[in-house]
Amino acid sequence: MLKITAYLKLLRPAQWLKNLMLYFPPFLGGTILQHGMATRGVLPFVSFCLASSSTYVLNDLLDRHRDLHHPRKKGRPIPSGAVPVWAAALLGALSLAAGVYLAVGISTLFLLLLLAYLAVSACYSLKLKELPVVDLFCIASGFLLRLEAGGEAFGIEISHWLFLSVFLLALFLATGKRLGEKQSLGEQAGEHRKSLLSYPDGFLPGAMYMTGGAVLVTYTQYVILRHALVYTVPLCCFGLLRFILRVQSGEGGDPTESLLKDLPLFIVGVLWAAMIGWGVYAGY
């Protein structure tokens, strides 16, 4: 049972929450309740979950020596020895093959978007994560590709303001994550992630404030003409400030962990989804 838990942990199922981005286009577009629409997204979601898990396995394989210097990551399945390197590689290959196989049956464009996501993720794991700013844009591109893949899977055109909001939000979260890592690791930051040494003091906090403010502007522009959704802007503002407070207080900047473990952020996330649902579907 312990072995199964270790292999499941290697796939990082908690990170699958990011793939809910595929459902944003139909949810925000008011079509998710149409007959067969919700089930239409099951295969695309599973495809991205399997594909993304393969990238996490690759990243853990490449980082297994550096993760030994991280107070939390040294307990991951590979550096801790719970999962052998060969078994992790096999699991990653199977996840990759299954994810691509499912994408082939969805559409050509969806497959291309998934392959683009895999290519960016692989380049990120191999080299790009060591390059300052480039590493942040790689993370942001992953969310944008998920968003576009969701639009393709559900046959919905992505709004320009939504595209910009997701891009800037992803940059904001990625910057907060890097800042949290730099604060928690201190002098050992460079041993875990080389790019952290290239960020001078003040750059990451400044970038986080800049992108956070930009998110608020673009999101407001997205909802301004949809009157019922304007009331979600204060929730968006609270969520951004709460995440900044969490990062600056040294509580960590991992977005998924923050959402699941920080009660105020979790409540705001649920309220945001409920208010969006009410605003878009109240007259359905």
Side-chain angles (χ1 to χ4, degrees):
M1 184 64 181
L2 187 61
K3 274 286 187 180
I4 296 176
T5 302
Y7 282 94
L8 182 61
K9 186 178 179 181
L10 183 61
L11 295 175
R12 298 194 210 176
Q15 299 297 326
W16 293 347
L17 284 173
K18 297 175 182 178
N19 297 320
L20 290 176
M21 182 66 67
L22 274 75
Y23 282 93
F24 268 43
F27 177 61
L28 295 172
T31 62
I32 196 70
L33 295 181
Q34 293 180 4
H35 179 69
M37 188 62 80
T39 56
R40 183 175 174 178
V42 172
L43 286 182
F45 178 75
V46 173
S47 175
F48 252 88
C49 286
L50 290 169
S52 60
S53 285
S54 72
T55 66
Y56 299 142
V57 173
L58 173 62
N59 190 70
D60 285 358
L61 284 169
L62 296 173
D63 281 356
R64 62 186 185 277
H65 299 301
R66 279 195 290 267
D67 285 346
L68 290 172
H69 300 287
H70 194 284
R72 182 171 54 84
K73 294 183 179 180
K74 65 182 180 182
R76 284 180 172 176
I78 298 176
S80 68
V83 176
V85 171
W86 68 267
L90 178 60
L91 180 61
L94 291 174
S95 297
L96 173 63
V100 172
Y101 175 78
L102 291 177
V104 170
I106 297 170
S107 78
T108 300
L109 180 56
F110 183 88
L111 173 62
L112 291 175
L113 289 168
L114 181 72
L115 292 176
Y117 168 81
L118 289 169
V120 171
S121 297
C123 292
Y124 170 83
S125 296
L126 291 168
K127 182 63 181 179
L128 297 183
K129 64 184 177 184
E130 299 177 2
L131 306 179
V133 179
V134 174
D135 65 331
L136 303 178
F137 273 72
C138 284
I139 295 173
S141 68
F143 285 91
L144 289 177
L145 288 168
R146 288 180 176 96
L147 180 68
E148 293 293 340
E152 168 61 17
F154 290 98
I156 296 174
E157 185 177 354
I158 305 299
S159 159
H160 296 316
W161 286 118
L162 178 60
F163 179 91
L164 289 175
S165 294
V166 169
F167 168 66
L168 290 165
L169 178 61
L171 271 183
F172 168 77
L173 295 174
T175 304
K177 185 176 182 179
R178 288 292 176 268
L179 179 58
E181 289 176 342
K182 190 170 184 178
Q183 290 175 334
S184 64
L185 294 173
E187 295 181 356
Q188 293 183 320
E191 297 178 15
H192 173 67
R193 195 181 299 279
K194 291 182 180 179
S195 65
L196 293 178
L197 294 177
S198 301
Y199 290 117
D201 293 340
F203 176 85
L204 289 173
M208 185 169 60
Y209 302 148
M210 180 192 74
T211 53
V215 169
L216 203 54
V217 172
T218 55
Y219 179 73
T220 301
Q221 289 293 329
Y222 175 65
V223 301
I224 197 71
L225 297 178
R226 308 167 78 178
H227 303 298
L229 302 188
V230 170
Y231 300 104
T232 65
V233 173
L235 289 178
C236 176
C237 185
F238 181 90
L240 293 170
L241 292 176
R242 178 68 188 181
F243 182 76
I244 292 174
L245 176 63
R246 180 179 172 86
V247 173
Q248 294 286 54
S249 300
E251 297 179 22
D254 184 270
T256 305
E257 185 176 291
S258 297
L259 181 62
L260 294 177
K261 294 187 177 181
D262 189 273
L263 184 59
L265 267 180
F266 180 78
I267 291 174
V268 165
V270 172
L271 285 176
W272 176 84
M275 288 183 68
I276 289 289
W278 175 261
V280 174
Y281 298 96
Y284 186 82

